[in-house]
Amino acid sequence: MHVYFGTYTRDRDEGVYRGRFDPDTGGLTIEAGYGGVTNPSFLALHPAGGVLYAVNESDCDSGVTGFAIDAGSGDLVSIGSAAIVSGRGACHVAVDPAGVAAVVSYYGSGTVASFPLDERGVPGEAVSVHRHEGSGTDPRRQEGPHAHSTFFDPAGRFALTCDLGLDQVKVYRFDPAAATLTPHDPPAFGLHPGAGPRHLAFHPTRPVVYVINELDATLTAAAWDDAAGTLTRRQVVSTLPEGFDGRRSTAEVLVHPNGRFVYGSNRGHDSLVVYAVDPDDGTLTVNGFVDAGGLEPRNFGFDPTGHWAVVCHQNADTVRVFAVDTENGSLTPTGEAVAVPMSVCVKFLDGA
């Protein structure tokens, strides 16, 4: 199957890389790189599988670019870009389950924008733009709003945005006919002060959402009411070993496809934390910590079989494959690290 990596380009033209992954062996090879987008740090796939989207993480002309995927080779061809003048530092893109909109989160300006997608998946001019307001308790990191990511609920009725600067998860109603976002009532779920929510993940079968908090290295488990569009806090747990006194900074949270384990990445500690999921209420118990195999682990992803995980190391210019024990959740590195410069995000394209 094909696998794609988003990176920071810095002084390179190539920013999105394509590889081939063997789900039988866990083997990974990099086959090509593509230019034309500055700092395509985060990626998203159209639900139909024919288009890859990459953010353009910059201080101007920051937005999203679509790439058509060749069904055989996996090759990428740019099909168009869209941006908003007021958006700075696009850092995350998500596509709704019906494939009618791409939603971009802007860290620098604290903005969320939705872009309609035509029948070919080409992003059009933004149809809704929301700039968050307020600040948090950390004067350096929370001096204003910082929208860090947006995720659609499984039904595609709501979009949830993690705002690191406000210690909030904003909730928007999504209209697929118009591709627009509208603030919900209530408009936000509050995290504890100084949390700094970064990313979140829905459990695949239970009404639970897991929010990973960057600033204090914690993870919040919250009950999700899909009818009311509300979150209710159930638990807050650390992502780090007891007694660790180094740099605290998280990046990604994912639920394993089997729903039994939750994983989070720690920068500074350069590890992945593994939690077991309580089958009754979705709360978490720490199962252990795994060396990420490189500096500054960012996004990671499970292949469609759930037997492998690929972890991106931003400051090691590598990615590493881990075998997943689906019975106890443990991760075991396989082979050597694979070179991908300033890797940030990984996406698998199943069925290639």
Side-chain angles (χ1 to χ4, degrees):
M1 63 184 68
H2 301 300
V3 60
Y4 298 92
F5 297 94
T7 73
Y8 287 114
T9 51
R10 298 293 168 88
D11 58 352
R12 292 176 286 109
D13 179 57
E14 294 180 338
V16 178
Y17 290 83
R18 171 174 57 83
R20 189 170 292 274
F21 185 79
D22 185 340
D24 292 328
T25 66
L28 171 65
T29 56
I30 304 303
E31 297 183 327
Y34 304 88
V37 182
T38 301
N39 295 329
S41 56
F42 214 89
L43 309 175
L45 283 164
H46 191 282
V51 184
L52 179 77
Y53 298 93
V55 296
N56 177 347
E57 191 168 340
S58 61
D59 289 333
C60 60
D61 297 325
S62 191
V64 60
T65 296
F67 294 90
I69 303 173
D70 182 272
S73 68
D75 198 27
L76 302 179
V77 177
S78 176
I79 56 174
S81 300
I84 57 173
V85 174
S86 59
R88 303 192 318 277
C91 62
H92 186 272
V93 58
V95 179
D96 75 288
V100 299
V103 174
V104 177
S105 303
Y106 294 83
Y107 182 89
S109 55
T111 307
V112 179
S114 65
F115 299 88
L117 304 176
D118 70 13
E119 64 279 0
R120 294 192 302 127
V122 178
E125 184 177 345
V127 290
S128 58
V129 179
H130 299 277
R131 189 180 188 281
H132 300 168
E133 295 182 354
S135 59
T137 59
D138 186 326
R140 185 177 67 88
R141 295 293 309 278
Q142 296 183 309
E143 80 296 343
H146 294 299
H148 216 310
S149 61
T150 299
F151 297 86
F152 287 92
D153 77 308
R157 296 178 58 233
F158 297 96
L160 280 60
T161 298
C162 294
D163 194 306
L164 180 146
L166 305 183
D167 289 326
Q168 292 181 348
V169 175
K170 296 284 191 180
V171 181
Y172 292 95
R173 297 189 305 277
F174 177 64
D175 180 355
T180 55
L181 302 173
T182 304
H184 188 45
D185 183 16
F189 165 69
L191 283 298
H192 56 276
R198 180 185 175 95
H199 282 196
L200 62 80
F202 284 84
H203 192 280
T205 59
R206 298 182 180 90
V208 182
V209 171
Y210 302 99
V211 184
I212 196 161
N213 304 308
E214 177 178 340
L215 299 187
D216 69 352
T218 60
L219 191 149
T220 301
W224 168 246
D225 187 325
D226 61 352
T230 57
L231 293 164
T232 303
R233 184 182 294 105
R234 279 186 175 168
Q235 180 190 33
V236 178
V237 292
S238 176
T239 67
L240 291 166
E242 186 175 353
F244 177 75
D245 61 359
R247 175 190 171 209
R248 293 173 172 263
S249 181
T250 63
E252 187 61 272
V253 57
L254 289 180
V255 186
H256 189 271
N258 68 15
R260 297 176 56 187
F261 308 101
V262 170
Y263 300 79
S265 55
N266 286 301
R267 298 177 290 181
H269 191 247
D270 293 333
S271 67
L272 272 70
V273 57
V274 185
Y275 303 96
V277 177
D278 187 289
D280 294 323
D281 61 10
T283 56
L284 305 176
T285 301
V286 175
N287 254 17
F289 301 87
V290 179
D291 189 315
L295 299 176
E296 203 80 354
R298 289 285 301 268
N299 173 252
F300 54 96
F302 298 105
D303 83 305
T305 73
H307 292 295
W308 310 97
V310 174
V311 181
C312 297
H313 311 131
Q314 179 182 330
N315 289 355
D317 295 333
T318 59
V319 299
R320 186 177 285 274
V321 179
F322 290 78
V324 182
D325 187 318
T326 57
E327 292 301 315
N328 63 26
S330 65
L331 303 175
T332 303
T334 64
E336 298 296 322
V338 178
V340 179
M342 298 201 74
S343 62
V344 174
C345 179
V346 55
K347 295 294 177 182
F348 290 90
L349 180 62
D350 194 10

